[in-house]
Structure formats: structure tokens, C-alpha cells
Amino acid sequence: MKRALALVVLCVSTWSYAAYVLILKDGTRQIAKEKYRIKGKNVEFVTTTGTLRSIPLVLVDLKATEELNARDFGSAMPLDWVDGNEVLPTPTPTPSVAQMVGHLRSGEVAGPVQSVQPTPTPIVAFREAKYPDQRVDQAFQQGLESYHLYLYRTSQGTQRTYLFLEVQVNGQKEVSRALQAITTTYHVIAQGLQKDDQAARLPERVEILLLNEAGKEAGVFRISPADAEELATGKVTPEAFFVQKVIF
């Protein structure tokens, strides 16, 4: 498994944006320009918009914050909309699934387009039950963070052998980046586990729920290792993958 984790780090893209992720005890995250400062009973940091903010120290998970930022995955992409307590310009909403598919089918995606799959039962959604293999779960989390996607949560999927990933995305480019991150991580972990004769630990399927900045559905997917390989190895583009694999 360590080999798979190492491969994840080696295979991901790097970004030139400078930022620092602050994790609160309620699980929410804030994006800062640089590391926070402790001043009395408060934690002070400068947001990506240049505003000085202060949060009570008791609300900050310092251990989780230090561990995340020590992973050396590069810096986070500044997402202004993360700073929920500030008055920010209204972002351009991520298109709905129907709008995006219609737009892509208008001629921007080359090659054959498969028919859209029906809505699965039970629904793809976050569950209180954790995925049974914690290290595999953590590997996917590190894969997302390697692509500077920090607003996510994981759980067991609709079956015990399925892993669920919920990722917040801001715009169509982040939809594509999230799909690239997840499929690359899935493919690399699959290769690592197979080399270590531990293929049984690989999730049978990965279920994905992408949410836009308004908290609305931006894409639902249930992918297999073979599906992940297609995008991870460049056989299809993220846009074509979206159209072919999205579930209504």
C-alpha cells in the first residue's frame, strides 16, 4: 500500500498557487495565504482576498491542520468562495448536469458518446458508515489533496465494497480536475495493490458526487477500475469521460 501511496504523489500535477489550509474542529476548512498566527486565545490568518481574520483557538484543529499542510503536496489553489463568512463576488455557477451534457454534446467532445445511465438505487450519497479499509480511504484523500481539492468527504458507498467520494467543485474546470484526480488515484492504487498481490483491497466501484458552489449536484458517477484507467491513461478526455459516465 505504501508503494501505491508513493505512486499517487509521483503521478499528480503540481500547481504554482501559494496557500495554506486551516481545518476547524467541525470539519470545515478555510484557505489562507500563509500559515496562521496564534494571538492570545485566537488564531489569526490572512484570507486569499487579503482580509485579516480571527477565529477562536478552541475551534481550530491544530493537529489536523499541521498534518495536512506537512504533506508537501504543494500549495492549495486559492478558492475565494471557501471563505464563507466574507461577502464575496457571486461566482459563476457550475452548470447543472443536464446543461453540461447538452453543451458537450453540441460538438466539443470528439468520438462516440454513450447513452446516459439511469439513476441508481439506492442513491449515491454520503453515509455515516466509513469505508472498511482505512488506508485505501486515506490514499484517495491524499490523491484529492495532491490535486489541491480539499473540500471533500468520504464514506462507504451503496455497497460495502464501494467507496464514496463527495467533492465540492467551483466551475467546470474543477469538475474536470476532480474527475482526473479521482481516476488517476484509483488507477495508480489499483496498479500498486496488484503488484503487492492485494488486489482484493481495491474498491470494486468508486461512487462520486460532485457538488457545485451552491451545494447542488454537478455530477454523479459510479466507476470501475477499467473506467478509471480510460481517463487516467489519456484514452479519453475529462469532458468525454463526463458525458460517457455521468448518471442522472
Side-chain angles (χ1 to χ4, degrees):
M1 192 62 212
K2 290 182 179 179
R3 181 186 303 170
L5 288 174
L7 286 170
V8 170
V9 176
L10 290 173
C11 290
V12 297
S13 302
T14 57
W15 300 77
S16 60
Y17 302 93
Y20 190 91
V21 182
L22 193 68
I23 303 179
L24 306 187
K25 290 181 179 178
D26 65 0
T28 59
R29 303 183 180 198
Q30 300 287 335
I31 307 297
K33 281 190 173 181
E34 56 189 17
K35 187 174 181 178
Y36 62 87
R37 295 178 299 174
I38 296 178
K39 190 172 182 179
K41 296 183 178 181
N42 295 314
V43 169
E44 291 186 347
F45 64 96
V46 178
T47 70
T48 55
T49 59
T51 302
L52 179 64
R53 291 195 58 193
S54 178
I55 298 176
L57 179 59
V58 295
L59 300 181
V60 181
D61 190 333
L62 295 178
K63 183 175 183 293
T65 296
E66 294 295 336
E67 288 178 350
L68 174 60
N69 289 280
R71 288 180 183 173
D72 195 26
F73 284 148
S75 55
M77 176 174 287
L79 304 175
D80 293 345
W81 57 277
V82 174
D83 298 316
N85 293 331
E86 296 184 51
V87 178
L88 300 172
T90 302
T92 302
T94 302
S96 68
V97 174
Q99 289 174 326
M100 189 176 293
V101 172
H103 179 63
L104 293 172
R105 284 180 173 168
S106 65
E108 292 190 12
V109 178
V113 176
Q114 299 178 4
S115 60
V116 178
Q117 303 173 39
T119 302
T121 302
I123 190 170
V124 173
F126 178 79
R127 287 167 169 75
E128 292 301 324
K130 295 183 178 180
Y131 185 70
D133 193 322
Q134 184 178 3
R135 295 190 67 183
V136 170
D137 190 338
Q138 290 174 344
F140 274 91
Q141 293 182 37
Q142 291 191 9
L144 287 169
E145 291 167 8
S146 297
Y147 276 79
H148 310 290
L149 296 164
Y150 295 97
L151 300 180
Y152 65 81
R153 56 180 179 171
T154 67
S155 74
Q156 180 177 302
T158 55
Q159 296 187 31
R160 194 172 185 275
T161 56
Y162 290 8
L163 172 69
F164 170 81
L165 300 171
E166 178 185 287
V167 186
Q168 292 189 31
V169 291
N170 185 15
Q172 190 167 336
K173 288 185 178 180
E174 272 199 10
V175 170
S176 296
R177 182 151 56 91
L179 292 175
Q180 188 72 62
I182 294 168
T183 55
T184 298
T185 302
Y186 198 3
H187 179 57
V188 170
I189 291 174
Q191 290 183 315
L193 290 176
Q194 288 170 358
K195 289 180 181 179
D196 293 340
D197 294 323
Q198 299 184 53
R201 297 179 62 187
L202 186 69
E204 183 180 347
R205 294 289 186 276
V206 171
E207 297 176 328
I208 307 164
L209 172 60
L210 301 180
L211 299 177
N212 66 15
E213 61 278 5
K216 296 183 178 180
E217 182 183 301
V220 180
F221 307 83
R222 178 183 288 125
I223 62 173
S224 67
D227 295 330
E229 182 182 7
E230 291 181 10
L231 180 53
T233 58
K235 294 179 181 177
V236 297
T237 64
E239 293 80 11
F241 186 88
F242 183 101
V243 174
Q244 294 170 9
K245 307 301 181 183
V246 70
I247 299 172
F248 279 107

